[in-house]
Structure formats: C-alpha cells, structure tokens
Amino acid sequence: MLRMELKMNKQEELEQMLIEDGLINPDQLEKARKERKQGKESLTRALVSMGLVDEDKMIKFLISRLDLKMVNLSKIVGIDSKVIETIPEEMAKAHLIFPVSERRNFLTLAMVDPLNTLVIEKVTAMGYQVQPVLACEEEIKNAIRKHYGEGGIVENILREDRSKDKEEESFELKIEGEESPTINLVNHFLIEAISAGASDIHIEPYEQDIWVRFRIDGVLHKISSVSRHLHRAIVSRIKIMSGINIAEQRLPQDGRARVKIENQEIDLRVSMTPTIFGENVVMRILDTRGLCLDLERLFEPEILSVYGEYIRKSQGFILISGPTGSGKTTTLYSTLTAIRSVEKSIMTVEDPVEYVLTGINQQQVRPEIGLDFSLGLRSFLRQDPDIIMVGEIRDRETAEVAVTAALTGHLVFSTIHTTRSSEIITRLLNMGVEPFLITSTLIMGVAQRLARTICPRCKDSYHASPEIADNLGIEEGTLLYRGKGCKYCNQIGYRGRTGIYEVMTINHTIQDMIINREPGHIIEEAARENGMITLKEAAVKKVLAGTTTVEELYRVTS
C-alpha cells in the first residue's frame, strides 16, 4: 500500500525521478512548487493541472516508477451500491475519487491524484483502510455521473426510500471482533452511557487526548481519556450514524440518529461544533424508558392539587421557568399527557420534538425555511386547537402571539429562561409585552429545578451542624442524610433525580403589581403571602425527608 505521508527525502526522490525521466526541467519544477496549491494536491497533479506534463505521460510515470496500479473504471461493472455509499457524492466530486471495492473496511479507492495524502487521511478517518489506485480524470467523472447522478444507484436508492417513506435507519449497538475498532469504540461509549442512565455524552478533543464525559443526573463525570489520533475516526463514525456532512469540519452541524440496544430503540440528538483542537461532539440521549409522564410522581400532593386545577382551565397562559436541563420539557409532556383526551385538540411547536406523544399534533421548528415558533403558533390559531404548547418564549414576537392565543380562548403552555417564578413577569415586561396583556392571560408561573436523589443502597445519616442548621432554618442536630457511594451508584452517592417546584398563582394583588410594574422580589413576597412555597423551602423539605442532600440544595437553589 502507498504510504500515507511522503517524508521530505521521499519528496526529493520524486522530484529527482521526474527530472531524470525528462518529464520536467529544474525551472518547471521550481515553477510548480510556487504555483502548487498548498495541501490540496500533490506535486504530480499540480504539474498536470498547470499543463507542464501530459496526463498520459504522468500516468505511465506513476505506474512504472512508483509501482501504482492502474484501473479502467469503464470496464468495471456490477459495483455494489453499499460500496458506492462509502464515499459521499460531494466528497467524490470535490476530490475526484471513486470507491471500487470494499471488504472488511479495506477500501480500494480510484484516485486522479493517489499521492494526495490529505484525501487519503479523510477517508481513513471514516474508518477504512485505503488502497489507492490510479484512474483517469474523465473516467472518474463518468463513474460519478453514472453511479451518483440522476438515474444512478444512489439516486435510485434515495428515490425508493422517499417513495416508501422509509423510517430512519437504526444502528445496532454491539461489540464484535469483526467490526472496526472505531465502530466498537463508539458503540461502547453509547452502551455504557445508556446503561449508566446518562442524558448526554460529551466527546471533547484537547491537545494531548480526548475526554469522554457522561452527564448523569445533571452532573458531568469524566469516564475515560482516548488517544488523540482516534478523534477524526470517532467523529466520522458519529457523522455517518447521524446523517451529518463528513467533509464539513469548519461549521457547527446538527443531526439525529437512532440506535438499538437489546431490541430497544433509542434516539440520539447530535451536535457538533469546531474548536481549536477539532470538532466537539455532544450526543443527547432521548431514552423513553426513563421518561416519567405521571404528574403524581413529579409533584408533591400539595403542589399537584394546585397545579392540577390550573392546567384543566379552559383558557390562560401557564409558563414553566428554569435553566437548561431542569426538566421543563418533561413537565410539559407530563402535563399534556394528563389532560389529553379525544374531545380536545392539542398542538405543539417544538425545537426539537424530543418525544412523540400519541393523540397530540407536534410540529418541528425549521429556522432554515423560516418556520420559527411565532410562525408555527400563528398557523395553529387557524387549526381550531383547544390547547397549545410552545417550546420556548425567546422573543417579543413569540410572546405576543402566545398571549394573543390565550386571549382568544386557548390554554397555552410554554417555557421561559428565568431563575424564579416571579421573574417570569419581569422577563415578559422586558420583552415588551404590555402589562394589561400579562394580567389578562397569565394564570400561573412555575420555577423548577432537578436535584439528585440519595442512593438508597448507601444512604447514611448524620446530624446537622450549627452552620447548616442556621442556613436551612432548622434545629441543630437534626437528622440529615447523604450517600456514601457504592457499586449501585458508581461511587457517586446519588441515583436518580427529583423535581423541586415553586408554583406561583396569579391573584388580584399580583395583577395590580404587574400593572404598576413592581420588581420581582416584591411580587415574590406577595406570592408567599398567598401561600407559595419558594424553591429553597421546597428543597429543604426534600432534605428533611431524606430525599436529597444539603449539597444538592445549595447547588440547585444558589
């Protein structure tokens, strides 16, 4: 096989051979060096493209002096469609390459420029061992048109898939010796993450190595370090799985994948962004097996009695607030599941649609074609819905359309990024929504957090110190709990999460304060007088009940 890199002395040997065979003279060589496109083509290809050497003569030189094999693509018939699919059409056209055969990840690749090591490295990073062979430019172009273009094998496959409305391919997660090391490594990460109950997988390149971290119960944990040279192969494998452009490495990209583990299909939401050391990958695991859609399991009885009453009203605006990863989407999905019925039309506009709910019309935001939250919401108003859910209130336009929907007799749910329930009102005012519109529509604001629960198998008790007692407003020596760490919880001391909620209902006193644009802390005082339990108070209850720890209380309510 041709070496992947030409060292300096090899480059000098090549230049000397070109001069010895009379293909070029020293002046032409110097000219080619200056004009050559750095990193995009080899010296031999530069000589041909500059017209200094005839292509046929260069081919004969490469065959005789560098022992390269020549292939006649016009005489090859019956190339398997799976072989064609190993190289994306855009990549084949950009680099004038064409896959001839593939066996056990050993890919024979026809190239106009088989000395172009950068192209070979790209294909190698996709998980293949590359055997480059020489082919004429015109033959490669014809082969690309024949197999990729209209009427070609790949186009026919795509057309067939579209006509059948074929579902997304599901990748089986197995560790097998016959698979490439890269595939087995990626499968290993996914299996371990799913088994550990992780919500996200982070693959982060640094100067010396790659960090692999799992987000478990809302907190990142470093799982392993991987050799830096495996980064391209890992990223390429994930791109293939999630339908992301392999050739693009300079821009952020998003994709989706579906994997199967023990006959259970799990969706992945994949995000890639370039960093100084390469592309950073984050995979969100959307595992319906761990999704709780039961409001009785989410809320304490005293909170559920209030929340359950308001979500069954015929109209109004209910907003859920909290930082990213605080469980807002789960709360909304659980709410819609609790109130859906054949008598009600429920429509949602989301970015993205994380879980599919039966009996609910869900719409995916598509900014690239102009379909944003506000446009989707406007279209809903002509669809005769009873209940509307908007993924997030991000701007004034979306907020005003949501308020209009609530004013016209719809029950509207959405999320917004604030730290406290009282700040929901401040945020809407800052967006430019008129106070009288807020008082006419907003009926409830909920702030929430997710706190890790103590592992039941290594739960240990201790007595509250004076400092802790003072911070929590409890008696010194009160019995509290924490996890020591065991095999069941991977020595973390926590297993699972619980919701902490601050539910603010809007009464006449608060409506008057909204009209007068009172600050958030004044509104919060009025809500507490109305019976609202704050986030810290709700968290203290969980601590005293032995559900979570003091450390988690500080983390989620700071």
Side-chain angles (χ1 to χ4, degrees), residues 299 307 311 317-322 326-329 331-332 335 391-393 413-418 424 442 444-448 501:
F299 293 105
Y307 186 76
I311 64 174
F317 195 12
I318 296 176
L319 276 167
I320 314 291
S321 72
S326 60
K328 300 187 297 296
T329 300
T331 299
L332 285 176
T335 301
E392 184 182 344
I393 301 297
F413 296 91
S414 190
T415 69
I416 195 167
H417 284 289
T418 66
I424 291 173
L442 187 65
M444 174 179 281
V446 179
Q448 71 174 73
Y501 301 93

Side-chain angles (χ1 to χ4, degrees), residues 407-522:
L407 272 174
T408 54
H410 303 89
L411 182 60
V412 181
F413 296 91
S414 190
T415 69
I416 195 167
H417 284 289
T418 66
T419 56
R420 311 297 290 267
S421 58
S422 58
E423 292 174 2
I424 291 173
I425 296 166
T426 306
R427 182 71 189 278
L428 291 175
L429 290 170
N430 289 340
M431 282 183 178
V433 182
E434 293 295 334
F436 74 89
L437 291 176
I438 299 175
T439 58
S440 301
T441 56
L442 187 65
I443 59 175
M444 174 179 281
V446 179
Q448 71 174 73
R449 301 290 189 276
L450 288 177
R452 291 181 291 175
T453 54
I454 301 170
C455 174
R457 298 190 184 180
C458 61
K459 192 173 183 178
D460 190 29
S461 62
Y462 68 100
H463 296 283
S465 66
E467 183 183 0
I468 291 176
D470 183 57
N471 285 335
L472 270 57
I474 59 177
E475 291 185 6
E476 182 182 342
T478 300
L479 201 62
L480 303 176
Y481 300 88
R482 59 191 166 202
K484 294 186 294 184
C486 64
K487 204 171 187 180
Y488 180 65
C489 63
N490 295 316
Q491 307 301 325
I492 298 172
Y494 297 96
R495 180 86 178 189
R497 289 189 286 181
T498 184
I500 298 173
Y501 301 93
E502 179 182 274
V503 178
M504 178 183 67
T505 57
I506 309 300
N507 59 13
H508 293 302
T509 302
I510 294 177
Q511 286 178 339
D512 290 341
M513 290 181 172
I514 295 171
I515 292 295
N516 294 326
R517 296 179 180 267
E518 297 285 357
H521 68 277
I522 301 296

Side-chain angles (χ1 to χ4, degrees), residues 333 336-337 340 346-348 350 356-362:
Y333 279 171
L336 296 180
T337 301
R340 66 182 171 183
I346 303 177
M347 306 191 77
T348 75
E350 307 171 53
V356 176
L357 302 176
T358 304
I360 296 174
N361 299 298
Q362 295 170 270

Side-chain angles (χ1 to χ4, degrees), residues 170-173 194 258-267 286-290:
S170 188
F171 291 84
E172 189 79 25
L173 296 187
I194 292 167
R258 179 169 295 169
V259 298
K260 184 183 290 185
I261 176 172
E262 297 177 352
N263 296 320
Q264 175 72 31
E265 288 195 336
I266 294 168
D267 288 323
L286 305 175
D287 187 358
T288 55
R289 295 178 299 180

